[in-house]
Amino acid sequence: MSLAKDLTAIEDDWDDIIVPPSDLESDEPPLETDLHLRQLLLLIECLDWWWHDRQDFYVAGNLTVYYSQRQRKSEQFRGPDFFVVLDTERKSRKSWVVWEEDGKYPNVIVEVLSKKTAAIDRGLKKQIYQDIFRTPDYFWFDPVSLEFKGFELVRGHYQDLQPNAQGWLWSQQLELFLGVHDAKLRFFTPQGELVPSPHEAALAEQQQREQAQQQAEQAQQQAEQAQQQAEQAQQQVAAAEALLARYREQFGELPD
C-alpha cells in the first residue's frame, strides 16, 4: 500500500472515532409508545419519591451512558431505558459519562421491551451489561405481553432471579421487589407494600385527611349526642324531683 493510501486509511479511521468532551448530550431515540413513556416515568417518580430524603443516587430513563472516550460511531451503545447508579451525587445530568463519574456504571438497569428492541435487550444489551457494565441487577419488562424477567450478576455471569409467591423479583441493589401490578412494573417494599407514585401518595394523604376529618366529625356528633342525652337525663331527674315535691306538699313525706 502506498503512503497516500496509508494516510487516507488513517484519516478514515479517525473520522470514525469520537473523542468526546466531558459534557455530552444524551443521544437516545424517542420512546416508541406512550406505554413505554408512562412506564419509565412511573419507575423514576416512584423511586425518587421513595428515596426523597437521600442524596446518594442517580436515577434516569432513556439517557445515553458513555463508557469509552474512543467510542466508534459504529459501536456507539444506546443508553438503558431505566437505570440507577448508587453512591453518587443526586443532581441533574445531560447524560451519564462513566469517565467523569469515577468510573461508575449503573447498579440496576431495566429495559422496556418492544418489537424493535426485544431481541437486542435479550441479547446484545444483556451481554454488554454483564461483560462491560458489570451491572449487578438487570431486568426487562414488556408492557404489552407483561413478560418480566430479572438477573443478578454472580461471579461475572447473569443468573435468573427466582420469583416469590407474588411473582416479584428481588433487587439486592435497591432493596426492593419489582413486580407487575395493574399491568405496570412497580416497586414493592420488603414488607410487600406497593411503593406509591407521588400522585398516589398525595391521594392517599388526602384520603387519610378526609378520613380523619370524618372521624373527628363523627366524634363531635357522638359528643353532642352524649351531651343531649345527659341534658335529657338531667331534665328527667328535674321533672321527677318536681313531681316528688308536689306530692310532699299534698300528702307529706313518702312512707318508709
Side-chain angles (χ1 to χ4, degrees), residues 98-115:
V98 170
W99 60 89
E100 293 293 329
E101 301 286 353
D102 298 325
K104 291 182 180 295
Y105 285 87
N107 294 75
V108 178
I109 290 177
V110 177
E111 292 289 358
V112 182
L113 303 183
S114 69
K115 291 182 179 179

Side-chain angles (χ1 to χ4, degrees), residues 228-241:
Q228 291 175 355
Q229 291 173 353
E231 292 175 352
Q232 290 174 355
Q234 290 177 352
Q235 292 173 357
Q236 291 174 354
V237 170
E241 290 178 345

Side-chain angles (χ1 to χ4, degrees), residues 114-223:
S114 69
K115 291 182 179 179
K116 292 183 180 180
T117 67
I120 295 175
D121 293 335
R122 297 188 186 107
L124 175 61
K125 283 191 173 182
K126 181 184 175 186
Q127 198 71 33
I128 291 174
Y129 297 153
Q130 172 185 277
D131 297 339
I132 299 176
F133 284 27
R134 316 294 287 174
T135 293
D137 292 346
Y138 175 46
F139 303 88
W140 68 55
F141 173 66
D142 189 325
V144 178
S145 69
L146 305 185
E147 175 188 344
F148 175 49
K149 290 200 67 175
F151 309 87
E152 62 176 341
L153 197 66
V154 179
R155 293 185 293 276
H157 298 280
Y158 276 140
Q159 293 187 2
D160 290 13
L161 286 167
Q162 298 305 312
N164 65 2
Q166 292 79 20
W168 305 341
L169 302 178
W170 176 251
S171 170
Q172 185 62 43
Q173 297 293 304
L174 301 179
E175 296 185 338
L176 293 170
F177 285 104
L178 283 85
V180 181
H181 175 76
D182 287 343
K184 293 181 177 61
L185 187 62
R186 301 294 300 268
F187 297 114
F188 298 86
T189 69
Q191 294 74 33
E193 298 177 355
L194 178 69
V195 174
S197 68
H199 177 66
E200 291 168 339
L203 285 179
E205 184 178 353
Q206 180 180 353
Q207 291 173 353
Q208 290 176 352
R209 287 198 302 267
E210 291 175 352
Q211 184 177 6
Q213 183 177 355
Q214 291 175 354
Q215 291 175 346
E217 291 174 352
Q218 290 175 355
Q220 180 65 26
Q221 291 175 355
Q222 291 173 354

Side-chain angles (χ1 to χ4, degrees), residues 65-80:
V65 174
Y66 293 101
Y67 58 91
S68 173
Q69 290 178 295
R70 293 175 59 83
Q71 199 162 313
R72 293 178 180 273
K73 295 176 184 177
S74 60
E75 298 170 355
Q76 185 166 354
F77 179 65
R78 300 291 183 179

